[in-house]
Amino acid sequence: MTTANTNAIERYRNNFLKEVEANVEEGHMVKMCMQCGVCAGSCPLGPAWQHSPQKIFMMIRAGKRDEVLGSDSMFMCTSCYNCMVRCPRQLPITHIMHGLANYAHRLGLAPKGQPTRDFATLFWNNAIKKGRVNELMLTLRHYFRGGLVSGIKEALGMQSVGLGLFMAKRLNPMEIFGGHGVKDLKGFHAIIAKAKEIEDRKKGFTA
Amino acid sequence: MAKKEYAFYPGCSSQLKASASNYLVSTNSICKSLDIKLTEIPDWNCCGASVGYCEGGELPRIAINARNFAQAETHLPGQDIVATCAACWLSARESKERLDGSAQLLKETNEALAAAGLHYNGGANVRHMVEVLIEDFGYDGLKAPMKKSLEGLKIAGYVGCQTNRPFGIDGESFENPMYLDKMVETLGGEALTKYEQKVTCCGGALAFSEPEKSQKQIRDIVESAYDHGAEMIVTPCPLCQANVEVYQSEINKKQGTKFNMPVVYYSQLMTVAYGGSAKDAALDGQLIKAEKLEKIAGK
Amino acid sequence: MTASIATNQAILVVGGGISGMTAALEAAECGKQVILVEKTPVLGGRTARLYRYFPKMCHPTCGLEINLRRIKQNRNIRLMTMTEVTAVAGSRGNYSVTLKVSPRFVNENCTACGKCGEAVTTEVSNPWNYGLDKMKAAYLPHNMAHPQRFVIDPSIVGTPEGEKAKAACPVGAVDLDMKEESVTLQVGAVIYATGWRPYDAAKIQPYGYGRYRNVITSLEFERLADPQGPTGGKILRPGDGKEAKNVAFIQCAGSRDENHLRHCSRICCMASLKQTQYVREAFGDAGKSTVYYIDIRAIDRFEDFYQMVQKDATVSFVKSKVAKIVENAENGNPVLHGVDTEGYHRYAVEHDLVVLAVGMEPEITGVKLPDDVILDSSNFIEGSKDGGMFGAGAASSPLDVNRAVQSATAASLHAIQVIRKTASTEAA
Ligand SMILES: Cc1cc2nc3c(=O)[nH]c(=O)nc-3n(C[C@H](O)[C@H](O)[C@H](O)COP(=O)(O)OP(=O)(O)OC[C@H]3O[C@@H](n4cnc5c(N)ncnc54)[C@H](O)[C@@H]3O)c2cc1C
Ligand code: SF4
Ligand code: SF4
Ligand code: SF4
Ligand code: SF4
Ligand code: SF4
Ligand code: SF4
C-alpha cells in the first residue's frame, strides 16, 4: 500500500465523498448526480464494463472506496462525451471518470495490467519524453508490453496495419532513433515537473 | 498578404510521416486555395490528448497546453489558434476554458510556466479548422475556389465524437450535426444525410488498448455506410480517420466481412474540388484507395 | 383606428384559457368591468385540446361549456379575440395598455354556416391539432369554438381563393379589407393568464423528435386519442398510420434538466399516467404502455390514480431516463436505449410509438413584459413590484386545471382589491 493511500484513508476515514471532492478532478460535482441513468445508457463500450458512471457516483456516496478505486470501469471511458452533453445535472462526467482513474492510478489501487491504464501511461510518458508523440515507439511499446513473445504475436497480428501505414508514409521507421520533438525540452520538462509538484502537494501525494 | 492568418497547432499525428500526414498535406492545399496563412506555433508541444489523464493528472496537462498558448500569444499575437485534430482542439479548448474559469488555476499554471520563463495572459482563442472554414468563410465562401464538382460521389459524413462533443461546431446538434453533409453538398457530392452512425464513437484510444471492444463500434460505423450506399466516408478527425480506415482489414480477418471503404478527410475532398491533384490531396496516403476521388482528381 | 376607453375601474385579463376565463368571471360576477383578451380566435386555451381530464377522466368540453355559458350571459365581460397586449404603461390602479387586434376577415354577421369553408380549396396546417393535419383556409377552429365565427387565414386574402370565400357567404360576413388595429385602454389592474406552451421537443436531441416520425409529444397524443382529432380518435402513429399498441412514455422530456427547463413541470407524470389509460381504452388488454421515469411525481390526491394505474397489467414502469432513441430503419419503430437503474440492466427496447412527456414553459417566455413584472428563474410570473399586476394559472406556475382555477380565483380577488382601493382614493 502506498503511503499516499494510507494517509488518505487516515485523513478521510469514513468519508469517501469528501476525499473525492478534495482530490479528484471535478470531484465536487459528484454530489449533484440525481441517479437518472442517462450516462449509464450512453457509454459506447458500456456493455463491456462493470460500473457505469451513475453506479460509480452512487458507490462514492455509499463510501465504497475499495470497489471504486479498484474498478477498471474508469479506464473503459473512451472520452466520447456522450454522457456529458446529456446529463440533466450537467456533471462533467468524462472529467470525473478521468480524475478517478488518475487518482486510483496514483494511489496504486487501479487494477494491475489494465490495458488502457498501461497504454495511457505509455502514451503520456512517450509524449513527455520529447514533447511530442512518437507514434512508432508508442505502437511498439504497446505491443511488447506483455513481453517479447506475446508482443511479436500481437504485432504480427496487426502487421498488415503497421505495414500499410508505413507504405502509405504514415508511420516513420526513423522515429525509432528519435523523431519529432520539442526544442526547448529542458523548459518543457521543468514546466511539467513544477505542475506535478503543485498538484501532488494539493492532492496529498507528497507528504 | 494572406486574407486570413491563424496560429496553427498541427498536433503530433499531423506531422510529416505521422499517421495523419495526409491530413496536413491536404490542409495546406486548401489553405493555399482559400488564401489562408497558417503559421505553426513555434516549438509547440503535445496536448496530452484525452488519454493523457491517467498518468498526467490535471495541472500538468493544463500546463502543457498553456505552454502552447503562451507561445502563440508571444509570437503570433492576436491570431486565433487553429487545430486540425479533434483531440488537440478538445484538450486545448478544455484547458482554455478551465483557465478562463479559475483565477487560482491560472495562477498555478503560470507558476509552472515560469519554470521555463513563460507566461500566459489568458487570451487564447482555440478553434478547429472546420469551425474556421464554416464560420469565417461560410459554405458560399468555400464554394468560391471550386474548379470541379464531386458530382456523383456518395459520401457518408462521419463526425465522430470529439469534434462534436462537448463543444460542437457552429452551434450544431450533438446527435445529428449536419456540417459535414453540408460541406459535401457544397462541393457537389451526394451527402448521405440519413447515415445514422455519424456520431458513434469509434473507441478512440481504446481501439488500441481494447481492440475487441472497439472493433464492434467500427464495424457498425462502416457497415452502416455500406447500407446507405456510400462510396467513401469523410471525417474531420485524425483518430477517427485512422481507426475507421486501419481496422477494416482486421475486422475482415476476424469476422469475415469484406470491408474496403475509403476514409478521407474533408480537406482531401476540398483539395480535389479545388482542382488539386491526387498528390496535393495526399490520396497516396490512403490505406484503402479512394479510387473514385482519385479519378476526379485525374480529370 | 385608435379607440380609447377610459376606465381605471376595469380589470384586464390577458389570456382566455381556463384560468383567464375563471379570473374574468370571478371579477365580472362581482360586478367589475373586465376586458378579456385572447391571442387566438377562440376561448379555451390548452385544456380545450385535451381528450380527457385527470383525475376523473371526464371530457374537458363539459367544464368548458359551463364557463362559456357564464361568459355569454355576463354583460360585464368584453371579449376581444385575436388580440395581444403590446405595451403596458403606468402603475397600479392606472394602467394604459396597448392592444394589437389582428384581422379575422369575418365580421359579427357570421352564422358559422360553413359555406366559405366549402368554397375554398387551399389548406393550411391546423394548429388545433398541433399541426398533425390540415384544414381549409376558411375555418372554424373547432366545433365548440366561442365565438362561433369563422376565420379566414391571411394567406388567402388578396388571392382568388379569398374572393371565393367572400362570394360564398350568404350574409356578407367576409370582409377582406379588415386591417390590423391598435387599441389603447385604461385599466386599474392586470391579470396575466397567458398559460404555458410545450417545451420545444426538437431541442431534446437524443430523442430525435422531428427526425423520427414515430416520436411525438404528449400534446399530440391527446389529439390522437380525441375523436375530434386528426385520426378520429384512433391511436394511429404518424409514420405509417399503423395502430400504435405498444407505446412508450418518456418522462421529464425537457424538464428537471439544466440543459432545458430546470423546473419540474408537475403535471406530466399525471398526464402520462392518464394517457396509459387511453391506450387501454383503445386496445384493451392488447395495448401496452411503458413509462420510463426518474421518479413519479403524482402529488397528494393523485396518489390514488397512480395506484390504480400501477395495478393495470398493461402498464409497466421502468426507472430510467432514456439515453437515446434510434429508429429501426426496417419498420420505423423507435428503439429506446438506456439502463434500468433498478438493477442496472441495459436495455434496447422497440416500441410502436414514443410519447415525450414534454415540460411546460410559460407562453410569455421571450415576450417583453412591463419592467414591473416579477418573474421567477423559469419565467413564471410571480406578481409585480407595484402590486397591480398578477399571474394566474399556468402563467404563474406549472399547474393542473384544478390548481390553475384556484390560482385564477386568488388573482381575481387581488385585482378586485386594487380596483376598490383606487375607487375609494378617488372618491375621497
Ligand atoms: C399533456 C398534458 C396533459 C394535461 N392533462 C391535464 C389533465 O388531464 N387534467 C388537468 O387538470 N390538467 C392537465 N394538464 C394541465 C393543463 O393543460 C393546464 O393546467 C391548463 O392548460 C392551464 O390553463 P391556463 O388557462 O392557465 O393556460 P392555457 O390553457 O395555456 O391558456 C392560456 C391562454 O392564453 C392565451 N395567451 C397566451 N399568451 C397570450 C398573449 N400574449 N395575449 C393574449 N392571449 C394569450 C393562449 O392563447 C391561451 O388561450 C395537462 C397538460 C399537459 C401538458
Ligand atoms: S446523467 Fe448525470 S445525473 Fe444522471 S446519473 Fe449520470 S451523472 Fe447522474
Ligand atoms: S465519455 Fe466516457 S463515461 Fe461518458 S459516455 Fe463516453 S465512455 Fe462513457
Ligand atoms: S491529440 Fe494527439 S495529435 Fe493532438 S497533440 Fe495531442 S497527441 Fe498529438
Ligand atoms: S470518433 Fe473516435 S477518434 Fe474521433 S473523436 Fe471519437 S473517439 Fe476520437
Ligand atoms: S363567414 Fe359567411 S360563409 Fe363563412 S361561415 Fe360565416 S356566415 Fe357562413
Ligand atoms: S411531473 Fe414528472 S415527468 Fe413532469 S417534470 Fe416532474 S417528474 Fe418529470
Side-chain angles (χ1 to χ4, degrees), chain A residues 39 42-44 49 53 76-83 93-94 97:
Chain A
C39 53
S42 298
C43 289
W49 16 318
M76 294 288 182
C77 168
T78 64
S79 312
C80 74
Y81 291 80
N82 263 323
C83 53
I93 303 168
T94 317
M97 294 301 272

Side-chain angles (χ1 to χ4, degrees), chain B residues 95-116:
Chain B
S95 304
K96 172 212 146 55
E97 299 206 346
R98 291 273 185 93
L99 289 166
D100 284 353
S102 161
Q104 173 69 16
L105 193 63
L106 183 62
K107 195 179 133 254
E108 287 166 7
T109 302
N110 271 321
E111 234 176 288
L113 288 181

Side-chain angles (χ1 to χ4, degrees), chain B residues 173-176, chain C residues 205-206 211 324:
Chain B
S173 110
F174 297 133
E175 310 284 340
N176 187 29
Chain C
Q205 299 165 8
R211 266 187 294 145
K324 68 165 177 188

